[in-house]
Amino acid sequence: MIVKSIFSKPYYLMLLLSINLYGQTGTVEAELEEDFKYEFKSLKKEHDKTVLIDSIHNTIYSKPYGKETAREMLRIIKADGFNIKFSGDKLLEKQLNTESTDLLVIHGIPNNKLILNNENSNETLYTSPLTTDEIVNIGKFVYNGGGLFLFLSHFPEGSGALPLLEAFEIKFRDGYAFHSQYHTSEDGLCGHFMMNQQNEMLNTEHQIFSNTIDKNTIPENIRFYCGAAVFRNPEDVILPFPKNTINYTPKTNYQPNSGEIKYIEESSNNYAGMIGFEYGEGRIVVCTDQGIFRSMNLIIKDKKIPVTIHDPEADNAGLFLNILRWLTKLQ
């Protein structure tokens, strides 16, 4: 993402953004949305909990514009009474203990990428930026009562969070979840979904909703753009994909114009875009749409696409508030 221009009073930021909203990488213009404000009854005077946000690995908060694109998400956290800290060091015991931290947020974490070459060939080696010690400490933190909110990214040939997912027995397909019946983009392989109870893509029986302390915050519609697929136990699913959803994974070492198949296809009745479950004394939510709670308007083919917390047709902010409170055991 490259800053194109910045104006102040009122604050306005136009960006050039490299995205894969359609399952195809391209550059589009994006502007930050500054006006939307989710109204809800705050718990500000009822707790003193702390949210730790990972900014040391290559998450969205390691970029100078990351906080701006998550403006409303961060505002909701503060407005509901949470303290926010950004990690300045590795995710080890010093930062991850349940006496000082209640929730860890890892918002998009790509692989480290290393190009290997010799005289005959080139290969790409993908490795997680998370160390073994960090994975162990995150696991212990959750097991001892902490919360983990993990957003996954689209980085073909593996996610940087993969060792952490495997530690929690989460199966992950790092591709593009697609279903023709609900696909709303004009091209590409990346599914665009409006999720609700009617199409069975919003599970309001999950604990994040059944335990809610404010029924007015339970969403009716969730906008979900371009997610990968995860699956674990059926009772963990918050946002299920439809039956027969196809996951398209870019083929390793695909050569353009070679006549090869570009994607590997796998279909399932059990894919999900978001899951949540208890682990020891703690709780975990995993979401495969990195932009589901961000505050941007993408300008694509002269159309303005709200991504996504301020989408007037959806209730993504209510989903976020319920996740936040469930992960921190306020409900």
Side-chain angles (χ1 to χ4, degrees), residues 43 203-219 235 276-278 282-283 318 321-331:
L43 302 180
N203 178 21
T204 56
E205 300 300 315
H206 192 278
Q207 286 185 20
I208 67 167
F209 303 124
S210 62
N211 292 348
T212 188
I213 54 179
D214 185 354
K215 291 185 178 181
N216 293 322
T217 65
I218 297 177
E235 62 269 22
F277 55 94
E278 295 181 341
R283 296 172 177 179
L321 183 63
N322 278 279
I323 291 171
L324 178 66
R325 290 175 173 178
W326 183 75
L327 284 172
T328 54
K329 301 180 182 177
L330 292 175
Q331 64 184 39

Side-chain angles (χ1 to χ4, degrees), residues 158-213:
S159 163
L162 188 58
L164 191 57
L165 296 173
E166 290 177 340
F168 293 124
E169 299 182 323
I170 300 167
K171 305 301 181 184
F172 175 54
R173 298 292 182 263
D174 190 8
Y176 307 108
F178 172 89
H179 195 289
S180 59
Q181 183 177 350
Y182 300 100
H183 197 57
T184 57
S185 66
E186 296 180 11
D187 52 7
L189 300 174
C190 199
H192 296 182
F193 300 92
M194 180 66 83
M195 297 174 155
N196 50 53
Q197 283 185 279
Q198 287 69 40
N199 58 29
E200 298 183 339
M201 283 190 277
L202 175 61
N203 178 21
T204 56
E205 300 300 315
H206 192 278
Q207 286 185 20
I208 67 167
F209 303 124
S210 62
N211 292 348
T212 188
I213 54 179

Side-chain angles (χ1 to χ4, degrees), residues 5 16 50 52 60 100 129 150 208 215 226 262 271 287 290:
S5 60
L16 288 179
T50 297
L52 176 66
I60 69 168
S100 61
L150 176 61
I208 67 167
K215 291 185 178 181
C226 203
K262 185 176 182 180
Y271 285 151
C287 181
Q290 189 184 144

Side-chain angles (χ1 to χ4, degrees), residues 112-127:
N112 291 331
K113 184 177 179 181
L114 178 65
I115 304 298
L116 306 176
N117 57 73
N118 55 35
E119 294 181 357
N120 300 317
S121 65
N122 294 324
E123 296 288 350
T124 303
L125 181 67
Y126 296 92
T127 61

